[in-house]
Amino acid sequence: MSDDAQALAERSAAELWRTDLASQGLGMRLGKIAPGQVSVTMTVREDMANGHGICHGGFLFTLADTAFAFSCNSGGEATVAASGQIDFLEAVKVGDCLTATGSREWERGRQGIYNVEIRRADGALVALFRGRSHRLGAGKK
């Protein structure tokens, strides 16, 4: 990885984070940033629990989608989700600290495929997400 690519990934993440009020509002925090990769953490709050007393799947999807978004936008060009799918593997409880790690699996032209793993602080894999990205092109948002 070149220093230029790393610097671009960090600048891109900072710019995207500045206006990502949804992720900030859910208490997410950016972690490791690299070209095509990012980690995002979030602690599950009481207001994120569903009727079964476990984390609502929509919040897990949002955490994964945020890691996906920052991963696929790390090249400095506006990129959006074209599709996303998640598999819930383990129940997540209030108070659990989660880390979503997104990474580029494949990219060609304006399309990309990204994988995201969500793990609890104890290392347990709780969800797997796969998203397909579409790059909008230079200057578009």
Side-chain angles (χ1 to χ4, degrees):
M1 160 184 47
S2 75
D3 290 342
D4 289 343
Q6 179 63 32
L8 177 59
E10 290 172 6
R11 281 193 314 274
S12 298
E15 178 61 24
L16 192 59
W17 184 254
R18 187 179 63 76
T19 56
D20 188 347
L21 301 180
S23 297
Q24 291 176 39
L26 292 173
M28 294 182 198
R29 297 171 307 280
L30 288 178
K32 178 186 170 192
I33 299 164
Q37 298 181 325
V38 72
S39 66
V40 180
T41 60
M42 179 182 82
T43 299
V44 178
R45 305 182 313 223
E46 285 187 24
D47 63 344
M48 296 175 174
N50 64 18
H52 296 290
I54 58 176
C55 184
H56 190 292
F59 290 107
L60 295 175
F61 189 97
T62 302
L63 175 61
D65 188 48
T66 296
F68 168 48
F70 279 85
S71 296
C72 66
N73 278 278
S74 64
E77 293 185 60
T79 305
V80 296
S83 66
Q85 175 197 335
I86 193 164
D87 291 301
F88 304 112
L89 307 174
E90 296 276 339
V92 174
K93 298 182 174 120
V94 171
D96 282 347
C97 181
L98 305 173
T99 299
T101 303
S103 61
R104 180 173 39 235
E105 179 72 24
W106 172 87
E107 187 176 59
R108 183 162 299 136
R110 291 184 175 201
Q111 304 297 312
I113 301 289
Y114 290 77
N115 294 320
V116 179
E117 292 184 351
I118 301 178
R119 293 183 181 272
R120 268 196 308 259
D122 65 5
L125 182 64
V126 299
L128 289 170
F129 172 97
R130 177 167 264 202
R132 185 170 56 84
S133 68
H134 177 77
R135 192 173 316 121
L136 298 176
K140 296 185 180 179
K141 276 201 170 199

Coordinates of all heavy atoms in Angstrom, one line a residue, residues 68-120:
F68 N -19.2 -0.7 5.4 CA -19.2 -0.9 3.9 C -19.0 0.4 3.2 O -18.2 0.6 2.4 CB -20.6 -1.6 3.6 CG -20.9 -1.6 2.1 CD1 -20.1 -2.0 1.1 CD2 -22.2 -1.2 1.7 CE1 -20.4 -2.0 -0.2 CE2 -22.6 -1.2 0.4 CZ -21.7 -1.6 -0.6
A69 N -19.8 1.4 3.7 CA -19.7 2.8 3.0 C -18.3 3.4 3.1 O -17.8 3.9 2.1 CB -20.7 3.7 3.7
F70 N -17.7 3.3 4.3 CA -16.4 3.9 4.5 C -15.3 3.1 3.7 O -14.4 3.6 3.2 CB -16.0 4.0 5.9 CG -16.6 5.2 6.5 CD1 -18.0 5.2 7.0 CD2 -16.0 6.4 6.6 CE1 -18.5 6.3 7.6 CE2 -16.5 7.6 7.1 CZ -17.8 7.5 7.6
S71 N -15.5 1.8 3.6 CA -14.6 0.9 2.8 C -14.6 1.3 1.4 O -13.6 1.5 0.7 CB -14.9 -0.6 3.0 OG -14.7 -1.0 4.3
C72 N -15.8 1.4 0.8 CA -15.9 1.6 -0.6 C -15.8 3.0 -1.0 O -15.6 3.3 -2.2 CB -17.2 1.0 -1.2 SG -18.8 1.7 -0.7
N73 N -15.7 4.0 -0.1 CA -15.5 5.4 -0.4 C -14.0 5.7 -0.1 O -13.7 6.9 -0.2 CB -16.4 6.3 0.3 CG -17.7 6.4 -0.3 OD1 -17.9 7.2 -1.3 ND2 -18.7 5.6 0.1
S74 N -13.2 4.8 0.2 CA -11.8 5.1 0.6 C -10.9 5.6 -0.5 O -9.8 6.0 -0.3 CB -11.2 3.9 1.3 OG -11.1 2.8 0.4
G75 N -11.4 5.4 -1.7 CA -10.6 5.9 -2.9 C -10.9 7.3 -3.3 O -10.3 7.7 -4.3
G76 N -11.7 8.0 -2.6 CA -11.9 9.4 -2.9 C -13.0 9.7 -3.9 O -13.3 10.9 -4.1
E77 N -13.7 8.7 -4.4 CA -14.8 8.9 -5.4 C -16.1 8.5 -4.7 O -16.1 7.5 -4.0 CB -14.6 8.1 -6.6 CG -13.4 8.5 -7.5 CD -13.3 7.8 -8.8 OE1 -14.3 7.8 -9.6 OE2 -12.3 7.1 -9.0
A78 N -17.1 9.4 -5.0 CA -18.4 9.1 -4.4 C -18.9 7.7 -4.8 O -19.0 7.4 -6.0 CB -19.4 10.2 -4.8
T79 N -19.2 6.9 -3.8 CA -19.7 5.5 -4.1 C -20.8 5.2 -3.2 O -20.8 5.6 -2.0 CB -18.5 4.5 -3.8 OG1 -17.4 4.9 -4.6 CG2 -18.9 3.1 -4.2
V80 N -21.8 4.5 -3.7 CA -23.1 4.2 -3.0 C -23.3 2.7 -3.0 O -22.8 2.0 -3.8 CB -24.3 5.0 -3.5 CG1 -24.1 6.5 -3.4 CG2 -24.5 4.6 -5.0
A81 N -24.2 2.3 -2.1 CA -24.6 0.9 -2.1 C -25.6 0.6 -3.2 O -26.5 1.4 -3.5 CB -25.3 0.6 -0.8
A82 N -25.4 -0.5 -3.9 CA -26.3 -1.0 -4.9 C -27.2 -2.1 -4.3 O -28.3 -2.3 -4.7 CB -25.6 -1.5 -6.2
S83 N -26.6 -2.8 -3.3 CA -27.3 -3.9 -2.6 C -26.6 -4.3 -1.4 O -25.4 -4.0 -1.2 CB -27.5 -5.1 -3.5 OG -26.3 -5.8 -3.8
G84 N -27.3 -4.9 -0.5 CA -26.6 -5.4 0.7 C -27.4 -6.5 1.3 O -28.7 -6.5 1.2
Q85 N -26.7 -7.5 1.9 CA -27.4 -8.6 2.6 C -26.6 -8.9 3.9 O -25.4 -8.8 3.9 CB -27.3 -9.9 1.7 CG -27.9 -11.1 2.3 CD -27.4 -12.4 1.6 OE1 -27.1 -12.3 0.5 NE2 -27.3 -13.4 2.4
I86 N -27.4 -9.3 4.9 CA -26.7 -9.6 6.2 C -27.3 -11.0 6.7 O -28.4 -11.3 6.5 CB -27.0 -8.5 7.2 CG1 -26.1 -8.7 8.4 CG2 -28.4 -8.4 7.6 CD1 -25.9 -7.4 9.3
D87 N -26.4 -11.7 7.3 CA -26.7 -12.9 8.0 C -26.4 -12.7 9.5 O -25.3 -12.4 9.9 CB -25.9 -14.1 7.5 CG -26.3 -14.5 6.1 OD1 -27.5 -14.8 5.9 OD2 -25.5 -14.5 5.2
F88 N -27.5 -12.9 10.4 CA -27.3 -12.8 11.8 C -26.9 -14.1 12.3 O -27.6 -15.1 12.2 CB -28.6 -12.3 12.4 CG -29.1 -11.0 11.8 CD1 -30.3 -10.9 11.1 CD2 -28.4 -9.8 12.0 CE1 -30.7 -9.8 10.5 CE2 -28.8 -8.6 11.5 CZ -30.0 -8.6 10.7
L89 N -25.8 -14.2 13.0 CA -25.2 -15.5 13.5 C -25.4 -15.7 15.0 O -25.5 -16.9 15.4 CB -23.8 -15.6 13.1 CG -23.5 -15.3 11.6 CD1 -21.9 -15.3 11.4 CD2 -24.1 -16.3 10.7
E90 N -25.3 -14.7 15.8 CA -25.4 -14.8 17.2 C -26.3 -13.6 17.7 O -26.2 -12.5 17.2 CB -24.0 -14.7 17.9 CG -23.1 -15.8 17.5 CD -23.2 -17.0 18.4 OE1 -23.8 -16.9 19.5 OE2 -22.8 -18.1 17.9
A91 N -27.0 -13.9 18.8 CA -27.7 -12.8 19.5 C -26.7 -11.8 20.1 O -25.6 -12.1 20.5 CB -28.6 -13.3 20.6
V92 N -27.1 -10.5 20.0 CA -26.3 -9.4 20.5 C -27.1 -8.7 21.6 O -28.2 -8.4 21.4 CB -25.9 -8.4 19.4 CG1 -25.2 -7.2 20.0 CG2 -25.1 -9.1 18.3
K93 N -26.4 -8.5 22.8 CA -27.1 -8.0 23.9 C -26.8 -6.5 24.2 O -25.8 -6.0 23.7 CB -26.7 -8.8 25.2 CG -27.1 -10.2 25.0 CD -26.8 -11.0 26.3 CE -27.3 -12.4 26.2 NZ -26.4 -13.4 26.3
V94 N -27.6 -5.9 24.9 CA -27.4 -4.5 25.3 C -26.1 -4.5 26.1 O -25.8 -5.3 26.9 CB -28.5 -4.0 26.2 CG1 -28.2 -2.6 26.9 CG2 -29.8 -3.9 25.4
G95 N -25.2 -3.5 25.8 CA -23.9 -3.4 26.4 C -22.8 -4.0 25.6 O -21.6 -3.7 25.9
D96 N -23.1 -4.9 24.7 CA -22.1 -5.5 23.8 C -21.4 -4.4 23.0 O -22.0 -3.6 22.4 CB -22.6 -6.5 22.9 CG -23.0 -7.8 23.6 OD1 -22.5 -8.0 24.7 OD2 -23.6 -8.7 22.9
C97 N -20.1 -4.4 23.0 CA -19.3 -3.6 22.1 C -19.0 -4.4 20.9 O -18.4 -5.5 20.9 CB -18.0 -3.1 22.8 SG -17.0 -2.0 21.8
L98 N -19.3 -3.8 19.7 CA -19.2 -4.5 18.4 C -18.2 -3.8 17.5 O -18.1 -2.5 17.6 CB -20.6 -4.5 17.7 CG -21.7 -5.1 18.5 CD1 -23.0 -4.9 17.7 CD2 -21.5 -6.6 18.8
T99 N -17.5 -4.5 16.7 CA -16.6 -4.0 15.7 C -17.0 -4.6 14.4 O -17.0 -5.8 14.2 CB -15.1 -4.3 16.0 OG1 -14.8 -3.7 17.3 CG2 -14.2 -3.7 14.9
A100 N -17.3 -3.7 13.4 CA -17.6 -4.1 12.1 C -16.3 -3.8 11.2 O -15.8 -2.7 11.2 CB -18.8 -3.4 11.5
T101 N -15.8 -4.8 10.6 CA -14.6 -4.7 9.7 C -15.0 -4.9 8.3 O -15.4 -6.0 7.9 CB -13.5 -5.6 10.2 OG1 -13.2 -5.4 11.6 CG2 -12.2 -5.4 9.3
G102 N -14.9 -3.9 7.5 CA -15.2 -4.0 6.0 C -14.0 -4.1 5.2 O -13.0 -3.4 5.5
S103 N -14.1 -4.9 4.1 CA -12.9 -5.0 3.2 C -13.4 -5.3 1.8 O -14.4 -5.9 1.6 CB -12.0 -6.1 3.7 OG -12.6 -7.3 3.7
R104 N -12.7 -4.7 0.9 CA -13.0 -4.9 -0.6 C -12.6 -6.3 -1.0 O -11.5 -6.8 -0.7 CB -12.2 -3.9 -1.4 CG -12.5 -4.0 -2.9 CD -11.8 -2.9 -3.7 NE -10.5 -2.6 -3.3 CZ -10.1 -1.3 -3.0 NH1 -11.0 -0.3 -3.1 NH2 -8.9 -1.1 -2.6
E105 N -13.6 -7.0 -1.6 CA -13.4 -8.4 -2.1 C -13.0 -8.4 -3.5 O -12.2 -9.1 -4.0 CB -14.6 -9.2 -1.8 CG -14.6 -10.6 -2.3 CD -13.7 -11.5 -1.4 OE1 -13.4 -11.1 -0.3 OE2 -13.2 -12.5 -2.0
W106 N -13.7 -7.5 -4.3 CA -13.6 -7.4 -5.7 C -14.0 -6.1 -6.2 O -14.9 -5.4 -5.7 CB -14.5 -8.5 -6.3 CG -14.6 -8.5 -7.8 CD1 -13.8 -9.1 -8.7 CD2 -15.6 -7.8 -8.6 NE1 -14.3 -8.9 -10.0 CE2 -15.4 -8.1 -10.0 CE3 -16.7 -7.0 -8.3 CZ2 -16.2 -7.6 -11.0 CZ3 -17.5 -6.5 -9.3 CH2 -17.2 -6.8 -10.6
E107 N -13.3 -5.6 -7.3 CA -13.7 -4.3 -7.9 C -13.3 -4.4 -9.4 O -12.3 -4.8 -9.8 CB -12.9 -3.2 -7.2 CG -13.4 -1.8 -7.6 CD -12.7 -0.7 -6.9 OE1 -11.4 -0.7 -6.9 OE2 -13.4 0.0 -6.2
R108 N -14.3 -3.9 -10.2 CA -14.0 -3.7 -11.6 C -14.9 -2.6 -12.1 O -16.1 -2.6 -11.9 CB -14.4 -5.0 -12.3 CG -14.1 -4.9 -13.8 CD -14.0 -6.3 -14.6 NE -12.9 -7.1 -14.0 CZ -13.0 -8.4 -13.7 NH1 -14.2 -9.0 -14.0 NH2 -12.0 -9.0 -13.2
G109 N -14.3 -1.7 -12.9 CA -15.0 -0.5 -13.3 C -15.6 0.2 -12.2 O -14.9 0.6 -11.3
R110 N -16.9 0.5 -12.3 CA -17.6 1.2 -11.2 C -18.2 0.3 -10.1 O -18.9 0.8 -9.2 CB -18.7 2.1 -11.8 CG -18.1 3.2 -12.6 CD -19.3 4.1 -13.1 NE -18.7 5.3 -13.8 CZ -19.4 6.4 -14.0 NH1 -20.6 6.5 -13.5 NH2 -18.8 7.4 -14.6
Q111 N -18.1 -1.0 -10.3 CA -18.7 -1.9 -9.4 C -17.7 -2.5 -8.4 O -16.5 -2.7 -8.7 CB -19.3 -3.1 -10.2 CG -20.3 -2.7 -11.2 CD -21.5 -2.0 -10.6 OE1 -22.1 -2.5 -9.7 NE2 -21.9 -0.9 -11.2
G112 N -18.2 -2.8 -7.2 CA -17.4 -3.5 -6.2 C -18.2 -4.4 -5.3 O -19.4 -4.2 -5.2
I113 N -17.5 -5.4 -4.7 CA -18.1 -6.3 -3.7 C -17.3 -6.1 -2.4 O -16.1 -6.2 -2.5 CB -18.1 -7.7 -4.2 CG1 -18.9 -7.9 -5.5 CG2 -18.7 -8.7 -3.1 CD1 -20.4 -7.8 -5.4
Y114 N -18.0 -5.9 -1.3 CA -17.4 -5.7 0.0 C -18.0 -6.7 1.0 O -19.2 -6.9 1.0 CB -17.5 -4.3 0.4 CG -16.7 -3.3 -0.4 CD1 -17.2 -2.9 -1.7 CD2 -15.5 -2.8 0.1 CE1 -16.4 -2.1 -2.4 CE2 -14.8 -2.0 -0.7 CZ -15.2 -1.6 -1.9 OH -14.5 -0.7 -2.7
N115 N -17.1 -7.2 1.8 CA -17.5 -8.1 2.9 C -17.3 -7.4 4.2 O -16.3 -6.6 4.4 CB -16.7 -9.4 3.0 CG -17.0 -10.2 1.7 OD1 -18.2 -10.3 1.3 ND2 -16.0 -10.9 1.2
V116 N -18.2 -7.6 5.2 CA -18.1 -7.0 6.5 C -18.4 -8.1 7.5 O -19.4 -8.8 7.5 CB -19.1 -5.8 6.7 CG1 -19.0 -5.2 8.1 CG2 -18.9 -4.7 5.7
E117 N -17.5 -8.2 8.5 CA -17.7 -9.1 9.7 C -18.0 -8.2 10.9 O -17.3 -7.2 11.1 CB -16.4 -9.8 10.0 CG -16.0 -10.9 8.9 CD -14.8 -11.7 9.4 OE1 -14.1 -11.3 10.4 OE2 -14.5 -12.6 8.7
I118 N -19.0 -8.6 11.6 CA -19.3 -7.9 12.9 C -18.9 -8.9 14.0 O -19.4 -10.0 14.0 CB -20.7 -7.5 13.0 CG1 -21.1 -6.5 11.9 CG2 -21.0 -6.8 14.4 CD1 -22.6 -6.1 11.9
R119 N -18.1 -8.4 14.9 CA -17.6 -9.2 16.0 C -17.9 -8.5 17.4 O -17.8 -7.3 17.4 CB -16.1 -9.6 15.9 CG -15.9 -10.5 14.7 CD -14.4 -10.9 14.7 NE -14.1 -11.7 13.5 CZ -14.3 -13.1 13.5 NH1 -14.6 -13.7 14.6 NH2 -14.0 -13.8 12.5
R120 N -18.2 -9.3 18.4 CA -18.3 -8.8 19.8 C -16.8 -8.6 20.3 O -15.9 -9.1 19.7 CB -19.0 -9.8 20.7 CG -20.4 -9.6 20.8 CD -21.0 -10.3 22.0 NE -20.7 -11.7 22.0 CZ -21.5 -12.7 21.6 NH1 -22.7 -12.4 21.2 NH2 -21.1 -13.9 21.7

